[in-house]
Amino acid sequence: RAQLAGLEDERAGLMAEAAIWPLAMLCSNGSVEWVAVEQSSALPAEIEETIFFEFEQAGWRTTEAMTLDSVEHGSPSHRKRRFLTAYRNQTPVISVHPETPFPVTTFAQCVGWGPGRRVNTRGQRGIDPRTGRPKGGGGFSADQPSNCVTATAYGWKDEDSGQRIHQNDIGRLVGFRSDYPWTHIGRGEGIRTRAQQAADVVCPMTAAAVIGRILNLHWEEQTCTYVTKLYDTAETA
């Protein structure tokens, strides 16, 4: 762990730890059949190649890497992530891509807004003294899936009315039901912390596709049912 702490790119350490544990467990006569890891879609190729090399040298049968956007699996927000999977004794046959495209859920449908509105994502960001403009942020049409949810999503609001979204909306944007019990762990309890929790999770619909492929389970029908139930009940305003 001390060696990993000295790496310049912390993502290398996170991914290396995910590889070390299963390989170490096997050396201790443990039982591990597969490994799945999620990381930023900007994960450097050399990190990915090095991790897969270690699995292949240890005799693992299949290694895979894929970039998935949660919108493809019915999410009303974009979330592009890199998934690395490794298998000891199987080559999976189930695809992570739906045979039939999932219905598109817009931001407005998710949070219960009417059509024709626009989302301001600048939130409470201050003014950059160098430019005189707000620091970062921007906006997007509510009539399409939203930008990737981040910790600043608690400040997203309608550009004209100033109407804000709430934690239950943020949770739904990443694939969780409105009454999901977000539980605070650690320091800094507050709306930003809760938004950060939602920003950090793996979209459950994308997770279903990845794990479904790993376990050779037909995930698509159940996931589509979940998406329909989750978003068809949104009231428009």
Side-chain angles (χ1 to χ4, degrees):
R1 184 177 293 271
Q3 292 176 326
L4 294 178
L7 294 171
E8 292 183 3
D9 191 330
E10 64 178 12
R11 292 171 300 185
L14 293 171
M15 299 298 282
E17 288 200 38
I20 289 169
W21 280 104
L23 295 175
M25 288 176 66
L26 289 177
C27 289
S28 302
N29 298 316
S31 177
V32 182
E33 295 299 322
W34 55 269
V35 174
V37 183
E38 177 259 7
Q39 224 341 318
S40 163
S41 59
L43 181 69
E46 58 269 25
I47 296 176
E48 187 176 293
E49 292 166 0
T50 299
I51 290 172
F52 279 167
F53 176 78
E54 294 299 327
F55 278 109
E56 290 160 2
Q57 289 297 298
W60 287 55
R61 181 173 178 179
T62 305
T63 55
E64 297 181 322
M66 47 201 163
T67 301
L68 301 176
D69 188 338
S70 58
V71 166
E72 181 184 7
H73 300 105
S75 170
S77 67
H78 288 282
R79 180 175 293 254
K80 196 173 283 188
R81 293 292 184 267
R82 190 73 168 164
F83 291 86
L84 277 60
T85 52
Y87 313 85
R88 286 185 64 206
N89 301 308
Q90 69 168 0
T91 300
V93 296
I94 301 295
S95 175
V96 294
H97 304 289
E99 293 183 5
T100 303
F102 277 45
V104 175
T105 303
T106 68
F107 176 93
Q109 290 170 326
C110 176
V111 304
W113 288 6
R117 301 171 76 173
R118 186 170 176 81
V119 182
N120 181 308
T121 63
R122 292 194 178 92
Q124 299 297 321
R125 304 181 194 200
I127 300 298
D128 187 333
R130 297 171 300 174
T131 64
R133 297 192 297 270
K135 297 178 180 179
F140 60 87
S141 169
D143 294 329
Q144 63 186 28
S146 81
N147 296 348
C148 182
V149 170
T150 66
T152 61
Y154 72 91
W156 289 4
K157 59 186 178 181
D158 177 73
E159 282 194 348
D160 294 328
S161 69
Q163 179 182 355
R164 293 181 179 276
I165 63 173
H166 303 287
Q167 181 64 27
N168 63 323
D169 298 316
I170 296 172
R172 281 166 56 83
L173 283 169
V174 297
F176 288 76
R177 66 182 191 272
S178 295
D179 61 347
Y180 184 81
W182 299 98
T183 303
H184 171 71
I185 298 175
R187 63 181 180 83
E189 169 67 22
I191 57 175
R192 184 186 176 96
T193 301
R194 291 193 294 273
Q196 183 68 63
Q197 286 183 290
D200 287 341
V201 300
V202 177
C203 172
M205 295 87 84
T206 306
V210 173
I211 300 302
R213 174 167 172 77
I214 290 171
L215 300 179
N216 282 320
L217 298 175
H218 293 281
W219 56 270
E220 186 174 343
E221 183 176 353
Q222 287 181 298
T223 304
C224 189
T225 299
Y226 175 80
V227 168
T228 300
K229 183 177 180 180
L230 184 62
Y231 299 119
D232 278 5
T233 56
E235 296 180 1
T236 57

